[in-house]
Amino acid sequence: MKQIHSIEEFNSILEEKSPAFLLKHSTTCPVSQAAYEEYESFTSSNSSVPAYFLTVQDARPVSNHVAEEYHIKHESPQAILFLNKDVVWHASHWKITEDSLAKAVSENS
């Protein structure tokens, strides 16, 4: 799991990795912390799917870019699965679980 900070990093990931997960995480929200822990647990046991995260407080331009470019209303926390440079799945808040992430990969790979 790697943190991203710029739109250029994000675009580079989509060029190189497919599928790939992105988690939008807020450092001030307890729900986001719970989602982050689920995401972290999923990524530690599923290293075949590249996983990235951004902290919305530190990478607001990237977060906004993803929302605008892919027409996904911004939420935090929010997990997004990209495949072939397109969004194939996304979830927010309590719907981000280790199981939901695994299911998203199995249904979209």
Side-chain angles (χ1 to χ4, degrees):
M1 192 165 78
K2 181 180 179 215
Q3 187 170 5
I4 62 171
H5 304 277
S6 71
I7 293 170
E8 293 77 20
E9 270 183 294
F10 170 74
N11 289 336
S12 170
I13 289 162
L14 291 189
E15 290 294 325
E16 298 171 13
K17 312 288 185 188
S18 190
F21 265 117
L22 174 67
L23 177 72
K24 291 182 173 186
H25 172 58
S26 169
T27 56
T28 59
C29 172
V31 175
S32 192
Q33 184 58 40
Y36 182 90
E37 290 169 8
E38 290 284 326
Y39 188 73
E40 190 173 42
S41 181
F42 169 79
T43 62
S44 68
S45 60
N46 293 278
S47 60
S48 63
V49 181
Y52 303 88
F53 75 98
L54 62 82
T55 303
V56 293
Q57 290 89 341
D58 299 330
R60 180 72 60 189
V62 184
S63 179
N64 291 343
H65 172 76
V66 171
E68 292 165 11
E69 185 74 20
Y70 295 94
H71 309 288
I72 301 172
K73 178 184 172 224
H74 167 76
E75 298 187 74
S76 177
Q78 185 174 45
I80 306 168
L81 179 61
F82 293 90
L83 181 65
N84 299 321
K85 301 180 192 174
D86 201 10
V87 173
V88 294
W89 177 89
H90 63 92
S92 67
H93 296 83
W94 296 111
K95 293 178 183 169
I96 301 170
T97 65
E98 188 172 356
D99 288 341
S100 70
L101 297 165
K103 186 175 179 184
V105 170
S106 70
E107 291 178 351
N108 293 288
S109 294

